[in-house]
């Protein structure tokens, strides 16, 4: 795909698929959007899709399925035990990931629950490149804590370092020695590190991590939810792997880990999740937990139709023409926003484009949630729903004090093969207008704060009447436009 050259010079992300089923969208007027975001407690998770034009909340469960996935769903074998749908998924996992044992689970966080329960004890420490919200919640539930060991440049958003998801090997050694091997049940590496802007790790870094894991006899766990995209960026950016296939790269990464888990909502454009390994001892430690929390071992709480879609989707992760679509659109979106001066995470990663709210809203103190405020303001002026990835998504410490997040990002997810280029251009148009009027955005405060994963259902309100003023400015500049 990257081999296509354009006569007019502008490099555009060219779709290698055609649209055959469509869903009508609604762009409701700003007055309705104002009511909707107030009703949603200024939390984009709580908006109804009837009020959303472009749903850029997440790629989870929203990637477009292929015709082959939909077709496969019709051959689903409804059986509580021994379903042929599971047999097909099992073959796909063996072929693509090269792992002998597979435990199906209903989604990624269910895998995290089982892994943490099976391998963690109270007081344990889990070293990792960076946390994901649900994984952190499970570690805390099990009485442990995490250490994030990214290289120093990883949170410098303007740095063009190609592998910001790498673990700093010196920090890893130091972490193990300081905490003691006996307190570290496993090291976790997350493919395409979600919360720092969908940034990949390199294979050479994973090899180094493996060497350290072997030296101390510690297990290496890979979160493979965004594995295809990490593999694609390895092929683009890591010299030694340029000539290899996606399959080679995926097998290499998966082969370096003792245990691999994934959210199929992301990895295979379906629903569900899984845990796989070649080690029988690890499999046996987790096996009993699947019927307890998920369902029988041949469906794991996933509908058999989705299992069929997962099996086909597993093979499709090997297709560079499919995997490249979302990263190419993200690159276009990031570069277009940057060209209008908007502070964005670079280099462009995967999953979505990430706007740096700390810079965009530098006038909003972090305890008034600049990324949450930006997400709400952007929805108001565009009908586009992004996701806050900042302090609202963080937690409080044992004294109830806010732990301010390392980053304040507005994530604009670009699910696979869902949006068109004109829609992406609309995103750029509206965010540029908002950037020019950024001083009008104000802060937020909690009015309802759930104790766990508060960002999902938490309710907030504006610190003053800034949303009303922003709406009035929109009307002044755009007239009666939607
Ligand atoms: N790991 C990673 C890297 C993820 O991005 C996610 C989900 C999970 C685990 C949990 O999987 O949702 O199937 O339970 N990420 C979604 C997102 C929610 O929007 O980024 P799940």
């Amino acid at each position: 795909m990257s081999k296509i050259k354009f006569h007019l010079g502008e490099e555009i992300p060219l779709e290698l698929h055609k649209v055959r089923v469509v869903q009508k969208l609604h762009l409701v007027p700003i007055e309705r959007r104002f009511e909707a975001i107030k009703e949603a407690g200024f939390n984009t998770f709580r908006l109804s899709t009837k009020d959303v034009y472009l749903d850029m909340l997440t790629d989870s469960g929203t990637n477009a399925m292929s015709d082959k996935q939909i077709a496969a769903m019709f051959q689903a074998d409804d059986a509580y035990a021994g379903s042929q749908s599971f047999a097909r998924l099992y073959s796909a996992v063996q072929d693509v990931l090269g792992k002998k044992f597979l435990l199906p689970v209903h989604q990624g966080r269910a895998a995290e629950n089982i892994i943490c329960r099976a391998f963690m004890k109270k007081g344990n420490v889990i070293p990792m490149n960076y946390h994901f919200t649900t994984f952190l919640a499970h570690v805390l539930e099990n009485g442990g804590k995490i250490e994030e060991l990214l290289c120093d440049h990883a949170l410098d958003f303007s740095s063009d370092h190609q592998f910001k998801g790498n673990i700093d090997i010196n920090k890893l050694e130091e972490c193990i020695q300081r905490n003691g091997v006996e307190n570290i049940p496993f090291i976790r590496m997350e493919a395409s590190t979600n919360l720092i802007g969908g940034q990949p790790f390199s294979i050479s870094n994973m090899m180094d991590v493996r060497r350290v894991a072997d030296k101390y006899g510690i297990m290496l766990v890979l979160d493979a939810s965004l594995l295809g995209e990490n593999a694609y960026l390895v092929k683009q950016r890591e010299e030694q792997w340029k000539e290899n296939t996606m399959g080679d790269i995926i097998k290499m990464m998966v082969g370096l880990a003792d245990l691999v888990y994934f959210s199929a909502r992301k990895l295979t454009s379906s629903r569900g999740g899984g845990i796989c390994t070649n080690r029988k001892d690890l499999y046996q430690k987790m096996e009993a937990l699947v019927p307890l929390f998920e369902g029988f071992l041949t469906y794991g709480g996933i509908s058999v139709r989705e299992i069929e879609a997962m099996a086909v989707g597993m093979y499709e992760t090997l297709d560079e023409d499919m995997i490249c679509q979302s990263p190419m659109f993200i690159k276009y979106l990031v570069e277009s926003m940057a060209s209008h001066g908007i502070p964005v995470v670079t280099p462009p990663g995967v999953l979505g484009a990430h706007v740096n709210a700390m810079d965009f809203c530098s006038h909003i103190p972090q305890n008034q949630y600049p990324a949450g405020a930006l997400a709400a303001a952007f929805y108001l002026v565009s009908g586009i729903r992004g996701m806050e990835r900042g302090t609202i998504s963080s937690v409080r410490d044992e004294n109830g004090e806010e732990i301010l997040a390392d980053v304040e990002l507005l994530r604009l997810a670009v699910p696979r093969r869902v949006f068109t280029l004109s829609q992406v251009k609309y995103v750029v148009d509206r965010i540029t207008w908002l950037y020019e009027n950024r001083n009008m955005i104000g802060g937020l405060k909690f009015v309802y704060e759930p104790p766990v994963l508060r960002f999902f259902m938490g309710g907030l309100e504006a610190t003053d009447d800034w949303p009303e003023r922003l709406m009035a400015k929109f009307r002044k500049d755009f007239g009666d436009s939607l």
Side-chain angles (χ1 to χ4, degrees), residues 380-423:
L380 180 64
V381 304
S382 67
I384 298 165
R385 162 160 84 162
M387 187 192 288
E388 186 267 5
R389 297 277 70 163
T391 298
I392 295 178
S393 301
S394 180
V395 292
R396 290 183 184 270
D397 66 16
E398 51 281 15
N399 304 317
E401 298 297 325
E402 287 277 10
I403 301 180
L404 298 178
D406 297 329
V407 298
E408 293 286 336
L409 301 175
L410 165 62
R411 181 179 86 179
L412 300 171
V414 181
R416 290 176 193 150
R417 304 191 287 189
V418 169
F419 298 127
T420 62
L421 196 54
S422 10
Q423 289 170 329

Side-chain angles (χ1 to χ4, degrees), residues 58 107-109 112 132 190 194 223 263 265-266 411:
T58 177
Q107 65 183 89
R109 71 201 68 183
E112 295 167 340
F132 184 70
E190 183 183 307
N194 186 329
D223 179 335
S263 166
R265 299 173 66 83
K266 294 171 112 80
R411 181 179 86 179

Side-chain angles (χ1 to χ4, degrees), residues 41 43 45-46 133 137 366-367 369 388-397 400-405 408 445-446 448-460:
N43 178 351
F45 275 100
R46 289 176 34 174
T133 50
Q366 221 184 332
N367 61 8
Y369 314 121
E388 186 267 5
R389 297 277 70 163
T391 298
I392 295 178
S393 301
S394 180
V395 292
R396 290 183 184 270
D397 66 16
E401 298 297 325
E402 287 277 10
I403 301 180
L404 298 178
E408 293 286 336
K445 57 176 187 252
F446 266 106
Y448 164 61
E449 190 177 339
V452 180
L453 296 171
R454 65 180 183 174
F455 59 91
F456 280 135
M457 290 310 289
L460 300 102

Side-chain angles (χ1 to χ4, degrees), residues 45 57-61 105-112 130-135 138 188-195 223-226 261-266 271-273 351 387 389 411 413 455-456:
F45 275 100
L57 185 75
T58 177
D59 61 340
S60 174
V105 291
H106 79 275
Q107 65 183 89
R109 71 201 68 183
E112 295 167 340
Y130 205 73
H131 78 278
F132 184 70
T133 50
T134 53
F135 186 82
H138 282 294
R188 172 179 176 274
M189 273 190 104
E190 183 183 307
S192 309
T193 328
N194 186 329
L195 294 190
D223 179 335
S225 306
L226 290 163
Y261 76 90
F262 54 89
S263 166
R265 299 173 66 83
K266 294 171 112 80
R271 309 291 179 272
L351 198 171
M387 187 192 288
R389 297 277 70 163
R411 181 179 86 179
F455 59 91
F456 280 135

Side-chain angles (χ1 to χ4, degrees), residues 70-259:
I70 306 273
M73 290 172 93
F74 285 94
Q75 57 168 353
D77 177 23
D78 269 307
Y80 190 91
S83 162
Q84 292 314 294
S85 301
F86 183 73
R88 283 187 275 275
L89 174 63
Y90 180 64
S91 300
V93 166
Q94 282 186 312
D95 289 348
V96 177
L97 303 181
K99 296 288 190 204
K100 280 205 294 264
F101 300 101
L102 168 68
L103 292 165
V105 291
H106 79 275
Q107 65 183 89
R109 71 201 68 183
E112 295 167 340
N113 175 40
I114 286 172
I115 292 168
C116 289
R117 280 176 185 266
F119 300 107
M120 276 187 66
K121 287 201 299 283
K122 208 162 175 257
N124 278 172
V125 177
I126 315 290
M128 57 179 70
N129 46 359
Y130 205 73
H131 78 278
F132 184 70
T133 50
T134 53
F135 186 82
L136 174 60
H138 282 294
V139 170
L140 298 177
E141 279 290 306
N142 284 278
K145 57 180 191 163
I146 60 162
E147 285 199 24
E148 292 165 329
L149 308 172
L150 291 172
C151 301
D152 293 338
H153 48 70
L155 299 179
D156 171 1
F157 295 141
S158 54
S159 140
D160 65 352
H161 199 279
Q162 302 290 295
F163 291 104
K164 291 181 172 175
N166 282 355
I167 286 188
D168 183 316
I169 298 300
N170 293 330
K171 288 186 195 165
L172 179 60
E173 286 260 3
E174 190 277 326
C175 166
I176 296 169
Q177 284 171 11
R178 179 167 34 79
N179 290 294
V181 177
E182 64 286 2
N183 293 315
I184 301 183
F186 57 89
I187 301 166
R188 172 179 176 274
M189 273 190 104
E190 183 183 307
S192 309
T193 328
N194 186 329
L195 294 190
I196 62 162
Q199 299 291 319
F201 58 69
S202 67
I203 289 188
S204 73
N205 182 252
M206 193 173 182
M207 286 170 143
D208 289 343
V209 173
R210 177 78 251 177
R211 267 191 284 279
V212 176
D214 285 342
K215 176 172 161 191
Y216 293 98
I218 302 175
M219 187 165 95
L220 179 55
V221 173
L222 171 67
D223 179 335
S225 306
L226 290 163
L227 185 69
E229 282 77 3
N230 201 120
Y232 171 72
L233 292 182
V234 162
K235 193 166 159 58
Q236 299 285 307
R237 299 177 185 178
E238 196 168 358
E239 200 49 49
Q240 307 83 296
W241 293 92
K242 283 208 155 71
E243 301 305 322
N244 289 85
T245 63
M246 290 285 287
D248 297 337
I249 298 171
I250 285 176
K251 279 248 174 64
M252 184 69 199
M253 292 193 290
V254 168
L256 287 166
D258 299 288
L259 202 68

